[in-house]
Amino acid sequence: MAATNIGMMDSAYFVGRTELLAWINSTLQLNLSRVEEAAPGAIQCQLMDVVHPGMVPMHKVNFDAKTEYEMIQNYKVLQDVFNKLKITKHIEVNKLIKGRPLDNLEFMQWMKRYCDSVNGGLNSNYNPLERREACKGGKEIGKRAAATHGAAKTSSTASKTQSATQTRKNEQHANAVSKSSKPASNRDPVYDEQITELKLFVDSLEKERDFYFAKLRDIEILCQFPQMEHLPIVAAIQRILYAANDNPSVMAEAQAMISQQPSEEALSLSPISESLEEERPKTESQKRKNISTLEVDMAANSTLSPRQRLSDISDVHHSGSPLVNYCTTLVANSEA
């Protein structure tokens, strides 16, 4: 089985803390007392350097990492190595740097299984102290480890025997678990169908959640535009978006924010509207007056003789015009 594809019921995840610490201390000549001490990520980098010599840039590894930022840099080095080796194991960096015992235990159990799968995890020519000298803080941790390395060497034989015995026990336990889990494959197909439906339902809910979250995020970004952020309606929208709880009063407060602010555009346009309303009756009355005058004129003209109509026209529009006088003379001659 490939180390990158091992499941949670694999015997690798039944390796105890004592066996893991003994393996790390003997391989890297360290003196760890807790698995959580590997949280900074430097130990994992050197374990990969043991099974893949020269693959890890040890000068970038920081054994003196204390802040989360420094620890993350170590895990970036480890991730780069995984990428080069095409290892698909996901590294839960945020959990590991918190020093959580269970998370660090599981990751170190996986590391041991992977290292054991590559040439048995042994490299007789590897000098961990010398390799750590290129790391930041590597010399200090090397001195502390050298002081206790003699005692660790004495107990290494016993730890290896204990490790082999524990491994056999873990394999037997894993086999027993796998055998006991086989009858589960004969379960009712109805349960399998229900489980599948529930999984699909959860997936659809997650997609719907992500969809509406993206919509709210777009609205939030739009409200942050300089041209809009001072508008009362934008303040009301932000009041609803940033509400910490589902309180009905939030909606009422948002509505009050909008109603309390007068509309400047309405105020600026109101005089124009009033003037238009005032001018409209005047225009209508003037049109009616003009139409009435035109009708009266047409009625009056219909009862006049041609000479009288021409005389009225000449008096109003063309008084003293030679052309009008000539036309008047022609009309008089025709009547005579």
Side-chain angles (χ1 to χ4, degrees):
M1 181 185 296
T4 56
N5 297 322
I6 59 175
M8 291 303 297
M9 298 307 297
D10 189 87
S11 60
Y13 290 106
F14 293 96
V15 177
R17 297 173 182 269
T18 304
E19 182 180 353
L20 274 177
L21 291 172
W23 170 69
I24 295 171
N25 291 333
S26 62
T27 303
L28 303 181
Q29 297 183 17
L30 294 173
N31 188 27
L32 301 184
S33 58
R34 296 180 303 166
V35 178
E36 305 91 273
E37 294 179 40
I43 291 175
Q44 291 89 327
C45 291
Q46 190 168 14
L47 287 173
M48 294 299 295
D49 188 61
V50 172
V51 294
H52 298 287
M55 184 65 69
V56 181
M58 294 298 290
H59 64 281
K60 294 183 179 180
V61 180
N62 186 1
F63 272 88
D64 195 30
K66 293 181 175 60
T67 65
E68 290 188 358
Y69 174 79
E70 293 173 335
M71 296 178 186
I72 291 173
Q73 301 309 309
N74 285 338
Y75 282 106
K76 283 184 177 180
V77 174
L78 183 63
Q79 185 64 64
D80 290 340
V81 175
F82 279 13
N83 294 339
K84 292 177 182 177
L85 297 172
K86 297 182 179 180
I87 299 175
T88 58
K89 171 67 175 176
H90 178 63
I91 304 175
E92 298 283 354
V93 179
N94 292 331
K95 295 181 179 179
L96 294 174
I97 61 178
K98 300 295 184 183
R100 296 175 181 175
L102 182 59
D103 296 321
N104 282 274
L105 175 65
E106 290 180 354
F107 190 66
M108 292 308 300
Q109 287 171 334
W110 181 91
M111 288 291 300
K112 184 179 187 306
R113 176 58 183 270
Y114 177 80
C115 293
D116 289 343
S117 67
V118 181
N119 298 327
L122 299 176
N123 188 348
S124 57
N125 298 325
Y126 188 81
N127 188 338
L129 297 176
E130 182 180 347
R131 290 291 292 166
R132 276 199 297 271
E133 289 181 357
C135 306
K136 182 179 180 180
K139 294 182 180 180
E140 288 75 10
I141 195 172
K143 291 178 182 178
R144 293 195 298 268
T148 57
H149 182 56
K153 216 170 189 181
T154 305
S155 61
S156 61
T157 305
S159 65
K160 286 181 180 178
T161 305
Q162 181 183 3
S163 175
T165 305
Q166 187 67 27
T167 302
R168 285 195 297 271
K169 289 182 179 179
N170 292 333
E171 290 178 352
Q172 292 174 358
H173 177 71
N175 292 333
V177 171
S178 62
K179 289 178 180 179
S180 62
S181 62
K182 283 183 179 179
S185 61
N186 298 326
R187 59 192 174 191
D188 194 344
V190 177
Y191 293 147
D192 292 336
E193 184 177 355
Q194 291 178 351
I195 291 172
T196 303
E197 290 178 356
L198 289 174
K199 288 181 178 179
L200 294 174
F201 181 67
V202 170
D203 291 340
S204 64
L205 287 178
E206 290 178 350
K207 290 179 180 178
E208 186 176 3
R209 176 201 63 190
D210 296 341
F211 173 79
Y212 286 110
F213 177 81
K215 293 293 183 184
L216 291 174
R217 178 58 181 155
D218 292 340
I219 294 173
E220 182 183 27
I221 294 173
L222 184 64
C223 291
Q224 293 172 354
F225 280 8
Q227 298 88 342
M228 300 182 60
E229 60 183 355
H230 300 298
L231 296 178
I233 190 171
V234 172
I237 293 173
Q238 290 177 336
R239 178 70 181 89
I240 297 173
L241 283 177
Y242 300 142
N245 50 23
D246 191 13
N247 193 338
S249 63
V250 174
M251 188 64 184
E253 293 176 5
Q255 292 175 344
M257 293 171 66
I258 298 175
S259 60
Q260 290 175 0
Q261 296 290 337
S263 176
E264 296 181 0
E265 294 183 0
L267 291 175
S268 62
L269 293 177
S270 58
I272 300 175
S273 302
E274 292 176 0
S275 63
L276 290 175
E277 293 296 332
E278 292 175 357
E279 291 293 335
R280 189 173 298 163
K282 295 180 180 179
T283 305
E284 294 294 334
S285 61
Q286 185 65 31
K287 287 181 179 179
R288 287 195 294 271
K289 184 184 293 185
N290 294 338
I291 293 172
S292 300
T293 304
L294 181 60
E295 291 176 349
V296 171
D297 291 343
M298 291 176 64
N301 289 337
S302 63
T303 60
L304 296 177
S305 64
R307 178 182 295 177
Q308 290 173 329
R309 289 198 295 270
L310 188 58
S311 177
D312 291 342
I313 294 172
S314 62
D315 292 340
V316 176
H317 300 289
H318 303 286
S319 179
S321 173
L323 181 59
V324 173
N325 295 335
Y326 176 74
C327 292
T328 303
T329 305
L330 291 177
V331 171
N333 294 334
S334 63
E335 289 179 355

